[in-house]
PDB file of all heavy atoms in Angstrom:
ATOM      1  N   LYS A  12       0.830  -1.204   0.000  1.00  0.00           N
ATOM      2  CA  LYS A  12       0.000   0.000   0.000  1.00  0.00           C
ATOM      3  C   LYS A  12       0.862   1.250   0.000  1.00  0.00           C
ATOM      4  O   LYS A  12       0.513   2.256  -0.616  1.00  0.00           O
ATOM      5  CB  LYS A  12      -0.920  -0.006   1.217  1.00  0.00           C
ATOM      6  CG  LYS A  12      -1.995  -1.080   1.152  1.00  0.00           C
ATOM      7  CD  LYS A  12      -2.862  -1.081   2.395  1.00  0.00           C
ATOM      8  CE  LYS A  12      -3.744   0.142   2.468  1.00  0.00           C
ATOM      9  NZ  LYS A  12      -4.688   0.078   3.603  1.00  0.00           N
ATOM     10  N   SER A  13       1.977   1.196   0.723  1.00  0.00           N
ATOM     11  CA  SER A  13       2.834   2.382   0.817  1.00  0.00           C
ATOM     12  C   SER A  13       3.424   2.765  -0.532  1.00  0.00           C
ATOM     13  O   SER A  13       3.739   3.931  -0.775  1.00  0.00           O
ATOM     14  CB  SER A  13       3.955   2.149   1.835  1.00  0.00           C
ATOM     15  OG  SER A  13       4.802   1.085   1.426  1.00  0.00           O
ATOM     16  N   LEU A  14       3.570   1.789  -1.420  1.00  0.00           N
ATOM     17  CA  LEU A  14       4.092   2.061  -2.761  1.00  0.00           C
ATOM     18  C   LEU A  14       2.975   2.272  -3.778  1.00  0.00           C
ATOM     19  O   LEU A  14       3.251   2.517  -4.955  1.00  0.00           O
ATOM     20  CB  LEU A  14       4.989   0.901  -3.216  1.00  0.00           C
ATOM     21  CG  LEU A  14       6.256   0.662  -2.390  1.00  0.00           C
ATOM     22  CD1 LEU A  14       6.997  -0.575  -2.888  1.00  0.00           C
ATOM     23  CD2 LEU A  14       7.176   1.877  -2.444  1.00  0.00           C
ATOM     24  N   ASN A  15       1.745   2.151  -3.332  1.00  0.00           N
ATOM     25  CA  ASN A  15       0.575   2.305  -4.206  1.00  0.00           C
ATOM     26  C   ASN A  15       0.669   1.416  -5.447  1.00  0.00           C
ATOM     27  O   ASN A  15       0.318   1.811  -6.555  1.00  0.00           O
ATOM     28  CB  ASN A  15       0.397   3.775  -4.627  1.00  0.00           C
ATOM     29  CG  ASN A  15      -0.956   4.029  -5.270  1.00  0.00           C
ATOM     30  OD1 ASN A  15      -1.939   3.363  -4.958  1.00  0.00           O
ATOM     31  ND2 ASN A  15      -1.014   4.977  -6.201  1.00  0.00           N
ATOM     32  N   ASN A  16       1.151   0.205  -5.224  1.00  0.00           N
ATOM     33  CA  ASN A  16       1.257  -0.741  -6.343  1.00  0.00           C
ATOM     34  C   ASN A  16       0.399  -1.980  -6.075  1.00  0.00           C
ATOM     35  O   ASN A  16       0.713  -3.075  -6.530  1.00  0.00           O
ATOM     36  CB  ASN A  16       2.714  -1.133  -6.578  1.00  0.00           C
ATOM     37  CG  ASN A  16       3.295  -1.956  -5.428  1.00  0.00           C
ATOM     38  OD1 ASN A  16       2.647  -2.167  -4.407  1.00  0.00           O
ATOM     39  ND2 ASN A  16       4.517  -2.419  -5.591  1.00  0.00           N
ATOM     40  N   HIS A  17      -0.683  -1.775  -5.339  1.00  0.00           N
ATOM     41  CA  HIS A  17      -1.488  -2.884  -4.855  1.00  0.00           C
ATOM     42  C   HIS A  17      -2.866  -2.919  -5.519  1.00  0.00           C
ATOM     43  O   HIS A  17      -3.291  -1.956  -6.161  1.00  0.00           O
ATOM     44  CB  HIS A  17      -1.676  -2.777  -3.337  1.00  0.00           C
ATOM     45  CG  HIS A  17      -2.415  -1.536  -2.915  1.00  0.00           C
ATOM     46  ND1 HIS A  17      -1.945  -0.265  -3.158  1.00  0.00           N
ATOM     47  CD2 HIS A  17      -3.625  -1.366  -2.291  1.00  0.00           C
ATOM     48  CE1 HIS A  17      -2.796   0.625  -2.696  1.00  0.00           C
ATOM     49  NE2 HIS A  17      -3.830  -0.006  -2.171  1.00  0.00           N
ATOM     50  N   ILE A  18      -3.551  -4.050  -5.322  1.00  0.00           N
ATOM     51  CA  ILE A  18      -4.947  -4.219  -5.726  1.00  0.00           C
ATOM     52  C   ILE A  18      -5.712  -4.662  -4.487  1.00  0.00           C
ATOM     53  O   ILE A  18      -5.466  -5.752  -3.955  1.00  0.00           O
ATOM     54  CB  ILE A  18      -5.104  -5.269  -6.842  1.00  0.00           C
ATOM     55  CG1 ILE A  18      -4.311  -4.867  -8.083  1.00  0.00           C
ATOM     56  CG2 ILE A  18      -6.581  -5.462  -7.198  1.00  0.00           C
ATOM     57  CD1 ILE A  18      -4.305  -5.928  -9.180  1.00  0.00           C
ATOM     58  N   GLU A  19      -6.618  -3.826  -4.007  1.00  0.00           N
ATOM     59  CA  GLU A  19      -7.366  -4.149  -2.798  1.00  0.00           C
ATOM     60  C   GLU A  19      -8.393  -5.237  -3.051  1.00  0.00           C
ATOM     61  O   GLU A  19      -9.029  -5.282  -4.110  1.00  0.00           O
ATOM     62  CB  GLU A  19      -8.055  -2.898  -2.254  1.00  0.00           C
ATOM     63  CG  GLU A  19      -7.099  -1.879  -1.660  1.00  0.00           C
ATOM     64  CD  GLU A  19      -7.821  -0.713  -1.009  1.00  0.00           C
ATOM     65  OE1 GLU A  19      -9.049  -0.561  -1.242  1.00  0.00           O
ATOM     66  OE2 GLU A  19      -7.158   0.047  -0.275  1.00  0.00           O
ATOM     67  N   LEU A  20      -8.567  -6.104  -2.052  1.00  0.00           N
ATOM     68  CA  LEU A  20      -9.553  -7.172  -2.170  1.00  0.00           C
ATOM     69  C   LEU A  20     -10.969  -6.614  -2.313  1.00  0.00           C
ATOM     70  O   LEU A  20     -11.813  -7.210  -2.969  1.00  0.00           O
ATOM     71  CB  LEU A  20      -9.498  -8.080  -0.933  1.00  0.00           C
ATOM     72  CG  LEU A  20      -8.179  -8.800  -0.667  1.00  0.00           C
ATOM     73  CD1 LEU A  20      -8.290  -9.649   0.592  1.00  0.00           C
ATOM     74  CD2 LEU A  20      -7.771  -9.664  -1.846  1.00  0.00           C
ATOM     75  N   ALA A  21     -11.211  -5.473  -1.698  1.00  0.00           N
ATOM     76  CA  ALA A  21     -12.552  -4.883  -1.721  1.00  0.00           C
ATOM     77  C   ALA A  21     -12.792  -3.998  -2.939  1.00  0.00           C
ATOM     78  O   ALA A  21     -13.832  -3.335  -3.027  1.00  0.00           O
ATOM     79  CB  ALA A  21     -12.770  -4.073  -0.441  1.00  0.00           C
ATOM     80  N   SER A  22     -11.864  -3.980  -3.876  1.00  0.00           N
ATOM     81  CA  SER A  22     -12.037  -3.159  -5.077  1.00  0.00           C
ATOM     82  C   SER A  22     -13.279  -3.574  -5.858  1.00  0.00           C
ATOM     83  O   SER A  22     -13.633  -4.756  -5.920  1.00  0.00           O
ATOM     84  CB  SER A  22     -10.812  -3.294  -5.986  1.00  0.00           C
ATOM     85  OG  SER A  22      -9.639  -2.834  -5.355  1.00  0.00           O
ATOM     86  N   THR A  23     -13.929  -2.593  -6.474  1.00  0.00           N
ATOM     87  CA  THR A  23     -15.043  -2.890  -7.364  1.00  0.00           C
ATOM     88  C   THR A  23     -14.491  -3.497  -8.654  1.00  0.00           C
ATOM     89  O   THR A  23     -13.295  -3.370  -8.951  1.00  0.00           O
ATOM     90  CB  THR A  23     -15.811  -1.612  -7.704  1.00  0.00           C
ATOM     91  OG1 THR A  23     -14.942  -0.741  -8.456  1.00  0.00           O
ATOM     92  CG2 THR A  23     -16.297  -0.903  -6.445  1.00  0.00           C
ATOM     93  N   PRO A  24     -15.339  -4.157  -9.447  1.00  0.00           N
ATOM     94  CA  PRO A  24     -14.870  -4.668 -10.740  1.00  0.00           C
ATOM     95  C   PRO A  24     -14.228  -3.581 -11.599  1.00  0.00           C
ATOM     96  O   PRO A  24     -13.208  -3.832 -12.256  1.00  0.00           O
ATOM     97  CB  PRO A  24     -16.142  -5.221 -11.377  1.00  0.00           C
ATOM     98  CG  PRO A  24     -16.973  -5.654 -10.210  1.00  0.00           C
ATOM     99  CD  PRO A  24     -16.711  -4.623  -9.145  1.00  0.00           C
ATOM    100  N   GLU A  25     -14.789  -2.386 -11.579  1.00  0.00           N
ATOM    101  CA  GLU A  25     -14.224  -1.292 -12.376  1.00  0.00           C
ATOM    102  C   GLU A  25     -12.846  -0.910 -11.864  1.00  0.00           C
ATOM    103  O   GLU A  25     -11.919  -0.662 -12.655  1.00  0.00           O
ATOM    104  CB  GLU A  25     -15.156  -0.075 -12.315  1.00  0.00           C
ATOM    105  CG  GLU A  25     -16.511  -0.278 -12.991  1.00  0.00           C
ATOM    106  CD  GLU A  25     -17.470  -1.120 -12.167  1.00  0.00           C
ATOM    107  OE1 GLU A  25     -17.253  -1.265 -10.924  1.00  0.00           O
ATOM    108  OE2 GLU A  25     -18.438  -1.654 -12.770  1.00  0.00           O
ATOM    109  N   GLU A  26     -12.686  -0.896 -10.547  1.00  0.00           N
ATOM    110  CA  GLU A  26     -11.383  -0.570  -9.962  1.00  0.00           C
ATOM    111  C   GLU A  26     -10.350  -1.642 -10.271  1.00  0.00           C
ATOM    112  O   GLU A  26      -9.181  -1.347 -10.537  1.00  0.00           O
ATOM    113  CB  GLU A  26     -11.522  -0.382  -8.453  1.00  0.00           C
ATOM    114  CG  GLU A  26     -12.276   0.880  -8.058  1.00  0.00           C
ATOM    115  CD  GLU A  26     -12.632   0.926  -6.590  1.00  0.00           C
ATOM    116  OE1 GLU A  26     -12.686  -0.156  -5.939  1.00  0.00           O
ATOM    117  OE2 GLU A  26     -12.868   2.040  -6.073  1.00  0.00           O
ATOM    118  N   ILE A  27     -10.779  -2.889 -10.258  1.00  0.00           N
ATOM    119  CA  ILE A  27      -9.849  -3.976 -10.581  1.00  0.00           C
ATOM    120  C   ILE A  27      -9.382  -3.863 -12.023  1.00  0.00           C
ATOM    121  O   ILE A  27      -8.183  -3.982 -12.313  1.00  0.00           O
ATOM    122  CB  ILE A  27     -10.513  -5.344 -10.315  1.00  0.00           C
ATOM    123  CG1 ILE A  27     -10.648  -5.581  -8.809  1.00  0.00           C
ATOM    124  CG2 ILE A  27      -9.686  -6.479 -10.957  1.00  0.00           C
ATOM    125  CD1 ILE A  27     -11.379  -6.846  -8.442  1.00  0.00           C
ATOM    126  N   HIS A  28     -10.308  -3.632 -12.946  1.00  0.00           N
ATOM    127  CA  HIS A  28      -9.915  -3.469 -14.345  1.00  0.00           C
ATOM    128  C   HIS A  28      -8.924  -2.303 -14.492  1.00  0.00           C
ATOM    129  O   HIS A  28      -7.930  -2.415 -15.226  1.00  0.00           O
ATOM    130  CB  HIS A  28     -11.147  -3.236 -15.224  1.00  0.00           C
ATOM    131  CG  HIS A  28     -11.800  -4.484 -15.701  1.00  0.00           C
ATOM    132  ND1 HIS A  28     -11.185  -5.356 -16.589  1.00  0.00           N
ATOM    133  CD2 HIS A  28     -13.016  -5.021 -15.419  1.00  0.00           C
ATOM    134  CE1 HIS A  28     -11.987  -6.376 -16.833  1.00  0.00           C
ATOM    135  NE2 HIS A  28     -13.103  -6.202 -16.141  1.00  0.00           N
ATOM    136  N   ALA A  29      -9.183  -1.213 -13.792  1.00  0.00           N
ATOM    137  CA  ALA A  29      -8.313  -0.040 -13.902  1.00  0.00           C
ATOM    138  C   ALA A  29      -6.918  -0.332 -13.371  1.00  0.00           C
ATOM    139  O   ALA A  29      -5.913   0.072 -13.981  1.00  0.00           O
ATOM    140  CB  ALA A  29      -8.927   1.142 -13.149  1.00  0.00           C
ATOM    141  N   ARG A  30      -6.828  -1.048 -12.249  1.00  0.00           N
ATOM    142  CA  ARG A  30      -5.519  -1.353 -11.670  1.00  0.00           C
ATOM    143  C   ARG A  30      -4.772  -2.376 -12.517  1.00  0.00           C
ATOM    144  O   ARG A  30      -3.552  -2.271 -12.721  1.00  0.00           O
ATOM    145  CB  ARG A  30      -5.679  -1.872 -10.243  1.00  0.00           C
ATOM    146  CG  ARG A  30      -6.261  -0.882  -9.264  1.00  0.00           C
ATOM    147  CD  ARG A  30      -5.375   0.332  -9.082  1.00  0.00           C
ATOM    148  NE  ARG A  30      -4.309   0.093  -8.119  1.00  0.00           N
ATOM    149  CZ  ARG A  30      -3.380   0.989  -7.803  1.00  0.00           C
ATOM    150  NH1 ARG A  30      -3.379   2.175  -8.386  1.00  0.00           N
ATOM    151  NH2 ARG A  30      -2.446   0.699  -6.921  1.00  0.00           N
ATOM    152  N   VAL A  31      -5.490  -3.374 -13.019  1.00  0.00           N
ATOM    153  CA  VAL A  31      -4.843  -4.410 -13.825  1.00  0.00           C
ATOM    154  C   VAL A  31      -4.303  -3.820 -15.131  1.00  0.00           C
ATOM    155  O   VAL A  31      -3.237  -4.210 -15.619  1.00  0.00           O
ATOM    156  CB  VAL A  31      -5.807  -5.577 -14.093  1.00  0.00           C
ATOM    157  CG1 VAL A  31      -5.216  -6.552 -15.131  1.00  0.00           C
ATOM    158  CG2 VAL A  31      -6.120  -6.321 -12.797  1.00  0.00           C
ATOM    159  N   ARG A  32      -5.020  -2.847 -15.695  1.00  0.00           N
ATOM    160  CA  ARG A  32      -4.529  -2.208 -16.920  1.00  0.00           C
ATOM    161  C   ARG A  32      -3.166  -1.557 -16.713  1.00  0.00           C
ATOM    162  O   ARG A  32      -2.382  -1.417 -17.657  1.00  0.00           O
ATOM    163  CB  ARG A  32      -5.534  -1.169 -17.419  1.00  0.00           C
ATOM    164  CG  ARG A  32      -6.699  -1.747 -18.206  1.00  0.00           C
ATOM    165  CD  ARG A  32      -7.436  -0.673 -19.001  1.00  0.00           C
ATOM    166  NE  ARG A  32      -8.042   0.329 -18.122  1.00  0.00           N
ATOM    167  CZ  ARG A  32      -9.285   0.238 -17.655  1.00  0.00           C
ATOM    168  NH1 ARG A  32     -10.048  -0.801 -17.969  1.00  0.00           N
ATOM    169  NH2 ARG A  32      -9.777   1.192 -16.887  1.00  0.00           N
ATOM    170  N   LEU A  33      -2.869  -1.159 -15.472  1.00  0.00           N
ATOM    171  CA  LEU A  33      -1.595  -0.503 -15.167  1.00  0.00           C
ATOM    172  C   LEU A  33      -0.455  -1.490 -14.924  1.00  0.00           C
ATOM    173  O   LEU A  33       0.699  -1.076 -14.799  1.00  0.00           O
ATOM    174  CB  LEU A  33      -1.751   0.377 -13.917  1.00  0.00           C
ATOM    175  CG  LEU A  33      -2.728   1.558 -14.021  1.00  0.00           C
ATOM    176  CD1 LEU A  33      -2.860   2.236 -12.655  1.00  0.00           C
ATOM    177  CD2 LEU A  33      -2.275   2.550 -15.071  1.00  0.00           C
ATOM    178  N   MET A  34      -0.769  -2.763 -14.866  1.00  0.00           N
ATOM    179  CA  MET A  34       0.252  -3.742 -14.510  1.00  0.00           C
ATOM    180  C   MET A  34       1.325  -3.848 -15.584  1.00  0.00           C
ATOM    181  O   MET A  34       1.035  -3.897 -16.792  1.00  0.00           O
ATOM    182  CB  MET A  34      -0.382  -5.121 -14.279  1.00  0.00           C
ATOM    183  CG  MET A  34      -1.251  -5.189 -13.028  1.00  0.00           C
ATOM    184  SD  MET A  34      -1.949  -6.842 -12.728  1.00  0.00           S
ATOM    185  CE  MET A  34      -0.468  -7.729 -12.217  1.00  0.00           C
ATOM    186  N   VAL A  35       2.565  -3.894 -15.130  1.00  0.00           N
ATOM    187  CA  VAL A  35       3.711  -4.065 -16.026  1.00  0.00           C
ATOM    188  C   VAL A  35       3.806  -5.543 -16.409  1.00  0.00           C
ATOM    189  O   VAL A  35       3.699  -6.428 -15.562  1.00  0.00           O
ATOM    190  CB  VAL A  35       5.002  -3.607 -15.339  1.00  0.00           C
ATOM    191  CG1 VAL A  35       6.215  -3.929 -16.210  1.00  0.00           C
ATOM    192  CG2 VAL A  35       4.941  -2.119 -15.028  1.00  0.00           C
ATOM    193  N   THR A  36       4.005  -5.798 -17.679  1.00  0.00           N
ATOM    194  CA  THR A  36       4.121  -7.183 -18.144  1.00  0.00           C
ATOM    195  C   THR A  36       5.581  -7.458 -18.529  1.00  0.00           C
ATOM    196  O   THR A  36       6.484  -7.132 -17.784  1.00  0.00           O
ATOM    197  CB  THR A  36       3.167  -7.426 -19.324  1.00  0.00           C
ATOM    198  OG1 THR A  36       3.414  -6.438 -20.345  1.00  0.00           O
ATOM    199  CG2 THR A  36       1.715  -7.298 -18.873  1.00  0.00           C
ATOM    200  N   ASP A  37       5.818  -8.047 -19.679  1.00  0.00           N
ATOM    201  CA  ASP A  37       7.179  -8.316 -20.150  1.00  0.00           C
ATOM    202  C   ASP A  37       7.770  -7.021 -20.704  1.00  0.00           C
ATOM    203  O   ASP A  37       7.314  -6.514 -21.741  1.00  0.00           O
ATOM    204  CB  ASP A  37       7.119  -9.397 -21.233  1.00  0.00           C
ATOM    205  CG  ASP A  37       8.495  -9.747 -21.800  1.00  0.00           C
ATOM    206  OD1 ASP A  37       9.485  -9.087 -21.423  1.00  0.00           O
ATOM    207  OD2 ASP A  37       8.566 -10.685 -22.617  1.00  0.00           O
ATOM    208  N   PRO A  38       8.796  -6.467 -20.038  1.00  0.00           N
ATOM    209  CA  PRO A  38       9.330  -5.172 -20.482  1.00  0.00           C
ATOM    210  C   PRO A  38       9.957  -5.220 -21.877  1.00  0.00           C
ATOM    211  O   PRO A  38      10.105  -4.177 -22.524  1.00  0.00           O
ATOM    212  CB  PRO A  38      10.374  -4.825 -19.413  1.00  0.00           C
ATOM    213  CG  PRO A  38      10.739  -6.138 -18.792  1.00  0.00           C
ATOM    214  CD  PRO A  38       9.499  -6.974 -18.846  1.00  0.00           C
ATOM    215  N   GLN A  39      10.306  -6.408 -22.354  1.00  0.00           N
ATOM    216  CA  GLN A  39      10.918  -6.514 -23.677  1.00  0.00           C
ATOM    217  C   GLN A  39       9.877  -6.617 -24.795  1.00  0.00           C
ATOM    218  O   GLN A  39      10.228  -6.553 -25.975  1.00  0.00           O
ATOM    219  CB  GLN A  39      11.852  -7.730 -23.734  1.00  0.00           C
ATOM    220  CG  GLN A  39      13.113  -7.583 -22.897  1.00  0.00           C
ATOM    221  CD  GLN A  39      14.081  -8.723 -23.125  1.00  0.00           C
ATOM    222  OE1 GLN A  39      13.987  -9.454 -24.112  1.00  0.00           O
ATOM    223  NE2 GLN A  39      15.019  -8.877 -22.212  1.00  0.00           N
ATOM    224  N   ARG A  40       8.628  -6.776 -24.418  1.00  0.00           N
ATOM    225  CA  ARG A  40       7.592  -6.889 -25.438  1.00  0.00           C
ATOM    226  C   ARG A  40       7.040  -5.501 -25.728  1.00  0.00           C
ATOM    227  O   ARG A  40       6.157  -4.991 -25.035  1.00  0.00           O
ATOM    228  CB  ARG A  40       6.477  -7.830 -24.969  1.00  0.00           C
ATOM    229  CG  ARG A  40       5.540  -8.197 -26.112  1.00  0.00           C
ATOM    230  CD  ARG A  40       4.472  -9.195 -25.697  1.00  0.00           C
ATOM    231  NE  ARG A  40       3.749  -9.656 -26.879  1.00  0.00           N
ATOM    232  CZ  ARG A  40       2.634 -10.363 -26.842  1.00  0.00           C
ATOM    233  NH1 ARG A  40       2.092 -10.696 -25.681  1.00  0.00           N
ATOM    234  NH2 ARG A  40       2.058 -10.751 -27.970  1.00  0.00           N
ATOM    235  N   GLN A  41       7.548  -4.874 -26.748  1.00  0.00           N
ATOM    236  CA  GLN A  41       7.203  -3.496 -27.075  1.00  0.00           C
ATOM    237  C   GLN A  41       6.001  -3.379 -28.007  1.00  0.00           C
ATOM    238  O   GLN A  41       5.267  -2.386 -27.965  1.00  0.00           O
ATOM    239  CB  GLN A  41       8.401  -2.796 -27.724  1.00  0.00           C
ATOM    240  CG  GLN A  41       9.652  -2.776 -26.850  1.00  0.00           C
ATOM    241  CD  GLN A  41       9.446  -1.981 -25.578  1.00  0.00           C
ATOM    242  OE1 GLN A  41       8.862  -0.900 -25.601  1.00  0.00           O
ATOM    243  NE2 GLN A  41       9.903  -2.509 -24.451  1.00  0.00           N
ATOM    244  N   ARG A  42       5.792  -4.388 -28.853  1.00  0.00           N
ATOM    245  CA  ARG A  42       4.712  -4.346 -29.840  1.00  0.00           C
ATOM    246  C   ARG A  42       3.829  -5.586 -29.715  1.00  0.00           C
ATOM    247  O   ARG A  42       4.274  -6.622 -29.223  1.00  0.00           O
ATOM    248  CB  ARG A  42       5.279  -4.259 -31.266  1.00  0.00           C
ATOM    249  CG  ARG A  42       6.011  -2.941 -31.562  1.00  0.00           C
ATOM    250  CD  ARG A  42       6.662  -2.970 -32.940  1.00  0.00           C
ATOM    251  NE  ARG A  42       7.705  -3.990 -33.013  1.00  0.00           N
ATOM    252  CZ  ARG A  42       8.972  -3.795 -32.621  1.00  0.00           C
ATOM    253  NH1 ARG A  42       9.337  -2.617 -32.147  1.00  0.00           N
ATOM    254  NH2 ARG A  42       9.849  -4.762 -32.720  1.00  0.00           N
ATOM    255  N   ARG A  43       2.608  -5.461 -30.190  1.00  0.00           N
ATOM    256  CA  ARG A  43       1.659  -6.575 -30.141  1.00  0.00           C
ATOM    257  C   ARG A  43       2.201  -7.786 -30.879  1.00  0.00           C
ATOM    258  O   ARG A  43       1.938  -8.941 -30.499  1.00  0.00           O
ATOM    259  CB  ARG A  43       0.328  -6.115 -30.756  1.00  0.00           C
ATOM    260  CG  ARG A  43      -0.692  -7.218 -31.060  1.00  0.00           C
ATOM    261  CD  ARG A  43      -1.220  -7.844 -29.776  1.00  0.00           C
ATOM    262  NE  ARG A  43      -2.307  -8.766 -30.052  1.00  0.00           N
ATOM    263  CZ  ARG A  43      -2.159  -9.992 -30.552  1.00  0.00           C
ATOM    264  NH1 ARG A  43      -0.950 -10.465 -30.826  1.00  0.00           N
ATOM    265  NH2 ARG A  43      -3.227 -10.763 -30.762  1.00  0.00           N
ATOM    266  N   SER A  44       2.968  -7.578 -31.918  1.00  0.00           N
ATOM    267  CA  SER A  44       3.483  -8.690 -32.733  1.00  0.00           C
ATOM    268  C   SER A  44       4.728  -9.348 -32.139  1.00  0.00           C
ATOM    269  O   SER A  44       5.180 -10.381 -32.636  1.00  0.00           O
ATOM    270  CB  SER A  44       3.812  -8.173 -34.141  1.00  0.00           C
ATOM    271  OG  SER A  44       4.750  -7.104 -34.081  1.00  0.00           O
ATOM    272  N   ASP A  45       5.288  -8.750 -31.065  1.00  0.00           N
ATOM    273  CA  ASP A  45       6.470  -9.342 -30.432  1.00  0.00           C
ATOM    274  C   ASP A  45       6.069 -10.567 -29.617  1.00  0.00           C
ATOM    275  O   ASP A  45       5.068 -10.534 -28.895  1.00  0.00           O
ATOM    276  CB  ASP A  45       7.143  -8.343 -29.493  1.00  0.00           C
ATOM    277  CG  ASP A  45       7.762  -7.167 -30.233  1.00  0.00           C
ATOM    278  OD1 ASP A  45       8.046  -7.324 -31.434  1.00  0.00           O
ATOM    279  OD2 ASP A  45       7.946  -6.111 -29.609  1.00  0.00           O
ATOM    280  N   PRO A  46       6.833 -11.663 -29.694  1.00  0.00           N
ATOM    281  CA  PRO A  46       6.558 -12.814 -28.822  1.00  0.00           C
ATOM    282  C   PRO A  46       6.859 -12.449 -27.364  1.00  0.00           C
ATOM    283  O   PRO A  46       7.798 -11.709 -27.080  1.00  0.00           O
ATOM    284  CB  PRO A  46       7.509 -13.903 -29.339  1.00  0.00           C
ATOM    285  CG  PRO A  46       8.602 -13.159 -30.033  1.00  0.00           C
ATOM    286  CD  PRO A  46       7.973 -11.918 -30.610  1.00  0.00           C
ATOM    287  N   GLY A  47       6.066 -12.943 -26.462  1.00  0.00           N
ATOM    288  CA  GLY A  47       6.241 -12.614 -25.053  1.00  0.00           C
ATOM    289  C   GLY A  47       6.969 -13.700 -24.284  1.00  0.00           C
ATOM    290  O   GLY A  47       7.213 -14.797 -24.788  1.00  0.00           O
TER     291      GLY A  47
END
């Protein structure tokens, strides 16, 4: 929580979608066509 990089259990579905959209994935995958 102190780093604000969390997803609360009590989040609404809309809040979960918003937080998940911010999640970092494979940093080397720059384009949709790149293999992950």
Side-chain angles (χ1 to χ4, degrees):
K12 291 178 70 174
S13 63
L14 297 176
N15 193 30
N16 67 355
H17 62 298
I18 300 174
E19 289 186 346
L20 299 180
S22 298
T23 65
E25 293 76 19
E26 290 169 338
I27 288 176
H28 273 293
R30 296 297 277 178
V31 170
R32 279 196 297 269
L33 296 175
M34 291 182 72
V35 174
T36 54
D37 180 355
Q39 290 187 17
R40 192 177 189 191
Q41 301 296 317
R42 293 175 296 275
R43 168 68 173 76
S44 57
D45 293 337

